[in-house]
Amino acid sequence: MTATLRSEPLTRSVEDYLKAIYHLAREGRPATTSEIAQHLELSPPSVSGMIKRLADQGLLEHAPYKGVELTARGRRAALRMLRRHRIIETFLVERLGYSWDSVHAEAERLEHAVSDGLIDRMAAALGNPGFDPHGDPIPGPDGSMAEVIYTPLGDLPEGERAVVRRAATSDDEKLRYLADVGLVPGAEVVIVARQPFSGPVTVRLGSDERVVGHELAGVVLCQRHRGADGGA
């Protein structure tokens, strides 16, 4: 029988911890206590106490002075929350007319209250999408998720053609700006010029040219033409 993301109920605090650790440990290294504390805006001593409790529950593994990693059970729980969050964001945008910069906070509140059954019904009503409005992959009910590698806009060479696939930020102001200038998933861009030493990037969108700062260009992830550095 195919495994699913269903599990026993966890508290909101535990769910937030697991999701935070999943995000922070995705680079292939353990998440540190200080990183978790900063991500959740909590004090390091309170985080240390929760880490011990979660380790005792078999949700994560903690090696002193090395960091924290999710167990298989903890990863399933984190992916379950990630699926909820991204399905809710997609439903709010596609069915209720929310803008993509306003859904993160709403989804953060709702993801703890809805049932898995409701999430599955929402997903079915949306046609079981594989990606949310920001281009982030949505885990399936069995925990499967598309693994895609995209190239930051700021790393593309001059003359390169690419398609924007993902905005790797939940910052409302950045998302509003990206929408205003047209740097949204599906937009085709051409790199006109790159300034050295972490300078801005000039891109062409249709007949318009835009200058994008180095920091912002780092969160706009693109699929290069001819399949370089990743695929759809």
Side-chain angles (χ1 to χ4, degrees), residues 89 92-93 96-104 133-134 175-176 179:
E89 286 191 333
L92 291 174
V93 169
L96 300 183
Y98 279 69
S99 59
W100 76 336
D101 59 276
S102 64
V103 293
H104 180 73
H134 309 105
L175 289 170
R176 278 195 293 272

Side-chain angles (χ1 to χ4, degrees), residues 4 24 30 45-46 65 71 92 130 152 158-159 163 165 169 186-188 214:
T4 70
L24 293 169
S46 66
Y65 309 108
T71 62
L92 291 174
E158 290 184 6
V163 178
R165 292 300 186 195
T169 180
E188 296 196 6
H214 175 75

Side-chain angles (χ1 to χ4, degrees), residues 24-52:
L24 293 169
R26 290 196 67 193
E27 300 299 323
R29 60 173 180 76
T32 66
T33 300
S34 60
E35 287 174 333
I36 298 168
Q38 183 177 13
H39 187 90
L40 294 174
E41 298 182 347
L42 297 171
S43 68
S46 66
V47 170
S48 295
M50 178 62 89
I51 285 174
K52 185 179 185 306

